[in-house]
Amino acid sequence: MLLLISKMAAAEGGGKEMNEIKTQFTTREGVYKLLTHSEYSRPNRVPFNSQGSNPVKVSFVNVNDQSGNGDRICFNVGRELYFYIYKGVRKAADLSKPIDKRIYKGTQPTCHDFNHLTATADSVSLLVGFSAGQVQLIDPIKKETSKLFNEERLIDKSRVTCVKWVPGSESLFLVTHSSGNMYLYNVENTCGTTVPHYQLLKQGKNYSVHTCKSKSTRNPLLKWTVGEGALNEFCFSPDGKFLACVSQDGFLRVFNFDAVELHGTMKSYFGGLLCVCWSPDGKYIVAGGEDDLVTVWSFVDCRVIARGHGHKSWVSVVAFDHYTTSVEDADPMEFSGSDEDFQDQIHFGRDRANSTQSRLSKRNSTDSRPVHTTYRFGSVGQDTQLCLWDLTEDILFPHLPLSRTRTHTNVMNATSPPVGGGLGGGVAGGVVNNGSNNPSTNGNNSGANTPSNSLPSPLPRSNSLPYSPATTANNKSSVMDSAIASGVSKFATLSLHDRKDQHHDKDHKRNHSMGHISSKSSNMLTKTRTDPAKTLGTLLCPRMEDLPLLEPLICKKIAHERLTVLIFLEDCIVTACQEGFIWTWARPGKVGLLSSQNQAVSPSGTVV
């Protein structure tokens, strides 16, 4: 009896330890530490009651002032929007002195983006999207509001899900809504006083693009209707030429932005996709969503190359770490540690996982490649966990031998693909399963890489989708140029006023896997509803066993409420949760930049 009680107590203690909120974690680079004195929040530091509110989002800009402290941070909490000097790892945050603070009535900020091209120490251009569908252009340094777009909600009445400046432009910006529509605006054009009329410009599978039919140039310049349900997020490629969009229908769609052409598509394993990002070199895209997975998609080959499982709930943000992603000389890497080090790791809290081991493939590889590439990316989710992942050469180049693993190897079956698609094994890759955080695996199966020349003939490694890169290059930029070159109207300043008669459309609920778009939009769009059962096992959505399965480098619970922000900066990592707290994690060796006299006590109930 005593033995049983002691075992129960030990189990309970272990559970508490696993649920404990972490204030530091270790990777191969060293120790990342939470700087409690660099926490940003509302000035009263009281946790925000997040029921029914929009996700907390964070935007950064550098204004290049002479003081050497040019970083500025903007974040929204409920109906409030804050703009501060961001001191990062250098000095403690002073929450009593926001540069600008705004409280909105009848609507809430949902997203925002700075124009990095035009930012100076005296002026910044900040776009803010709202839950009622409007987009505001403000200057939080001058404390000015220069324009309000879609003010009367004639263009779109649904919630703004994402807003970004078009790369390289001082005046063009792109906005997505929960209606499934995406609009291109010019800040110098008016929105008109009537509902816009549209003319079809281009149409493809599950998307259509319209121009605004008007005597004088007005906003929006273009209207995209993409997929079914909300467009949850979009992201421009590093060169600004391509646009990756993720939708509530579970699809990633990648467009040539200038040519308005579909480049490639991918389907989630389950449910909607909520977030997307590009690798620094533009070769890979990572998406996350309601299937609790992170999915890696090759831009060149237009196919899924790996999935990562570590989260226990929806993945809300994915981001690449530009500062840890590396292309190194091909000298053999030495590993400090022994096999016993791996055995000592616990199931959920491993500091090293299989993605770390994959770096060892350099030692065993007979390939004479001159470089060694490692991509680092991170993800945060509604499970309050931060995961870091390494995407390494044994995944990127599956014809190479797999890295050393602790488990035995099974050869994959190369069966004929089903009609209308390929076996998910369009990737000639193995399944890397060590069982961490993955209830569906038994922890002792690891697939071997099948040589690429043994692929079934119907499975090409590239151009696997109807729209190959070659087709987009022919009419590159011609469509976009004609759409926006028809003239620019005189700049007009619109006054902002509080609307008393706000009648909000009910926001699209994220837990509805399939949404619907308005009847007008549905007339414009060629709809071919995709049956998930038919996509599973094809190149759009390979089966789990047909792909390498990444394990997180680290997976740590870092908050009480769901996480909504992950941003990688040079000296730190920035995360935020729905309670309205923005945390700074100093990178290894950077914590000493802050003087110890600025140390502050962590707010109660925020970080343990």
Side-chain angles (χ1 to χ4, degrees), residues 331-544:
D331 296 331
M333 290 205 58
E334 293 301 323
F335 179 69
S336 55
S338 62
D339 287 340
E340 285 72 30
D341 293 333
F342 291 101
Q343 306 294 338
D344 294 336
Q345 307 297 338
I346 62 172
H347 183 65
F348 284 105
R350 291 215 289 246
D351 287 340
R352 289 192 194 94
N354 201 59
S355 51
T356 311
Q357 295 182 45
S358 60
R359 293 181 60 86
L360 299 174
S361 61
K362 204 61 185 164
R363 298 174 105 187
N364 302 329
S365 172
T366 57
D367 186 65
S368 57
R369 293 176 54 79
V371 295
H372 175 91
T373 307
T374 302
Y375 296 89
R376 166 70 58 79
F377 66 93
S379 57
V380 294
Q382 298 200 6
D383 57 359
T384 72
Q385 291 193 124
L386 163 69
C387 292
L388 295 181
W389 314 79
D390 270 358
L391 185 60
T392 48
E393 60 179 13
D394 56 347
I395 303 299
L396 303 175
F397 313 109
H399 59 279
L400 299 182
L402 265 181
S403 62
R404 177 182 63 178
T405 62
R406 291 180 287 134
T407 55
H408 68 271
T409 301
N410 292 330
V411 179
M412 263 173 49
N413 253 345
T415 58
S416 298
V419 177
L423 180 74
V427 180
V431 183
V432 185
N433 290 345
N434 278 358
S436 173
N437 296 339
N438 187 4
S440 63
T441 59
N442 58 12
N444 49 358
N445 283 329
S446 176
N449 281 34
T450 311
S452 56
N453 58 9
S454 68
L455 278 173
S457 55
L459 290 178
R461 286 181 59 81
S462 62
N463 298 336
S464 54
L465 292 167
Y467 298 89
S468 66
T471 55
T472 64
N474 297 333
N475 51 357
K476 176 186 172 184
S477 78
S478 59
V479 176
M480 184 64 68
D481 291 343
S482 63
I484 63 177
S486 55
V488 176
S489 64
K490 211 171 183 181
F491 181 84
T493 302
L494 299 184
S495 60
L496 174 68
H497 58 274
D498 291 333
R499 298 187 58 199
K500 297 177 182 177
D501 54 340
Q502 293 281 0
H503 300 293
H504 297 167
D505 283 5
K506 204 167 186 181
D507 281 347
H508 174 85
K509 300 298 182 185
R510 286 201 315 173
N511 56 348
H512 292 175
S513 288
M514 300 294 282
H516 65 278
I517 54 181
S518 65
S519 56
K520 282 188 179 179
S521 301
S522 62
N523 293 334
M524 299 175 180
L525 185 63
T526 304
K527 283 198 181 183
T528 52
R529 185 179 290 273
T530 308
D531 184 356
K534 290 182 180 178
T535 59
L536 183 62
T538 69
L539 287 171
L540 278 178
C541 181
R543 297 181 186 278
M544 292 294 286

Side-chain angles (χ1 to χ4, degrees), residues 237-306:
S237 60
D239 62 6
K241 295 178 180 177
F242 289 86
L243 182 72
C245 307
V246 288
S247 301
Q248 196 61 32
D249 62 7
F251 277 89
L252 161 73
R253 294 177 178 89
V254 182
F255 294 95
N256 183 319
F257 184 64
D258 290 337
V260 197
E261 289 278 2
L262 184 65
H263 169 79
T265 315
M266 181 270 287
K267 174 74 171 65
S268 69
Y269 198 73
F270 173 82
L273 286 175
L274 306 175
C275 50
V276 64
C277 65
W278 290 79
S279 64
D281 56 9
K283 291 182 178 179
Y284 301 97
I285 295 173
V286 172
E290 296 174 0
D291 54 9
D292 304 353
L293 302 170
V294 292
T295 303
V296 185
W297 191 80
S298 168
F299 173 78
V300 176
D301 293 342
C302 290
R303 60 179 175 85
V304 179
I305 61 169

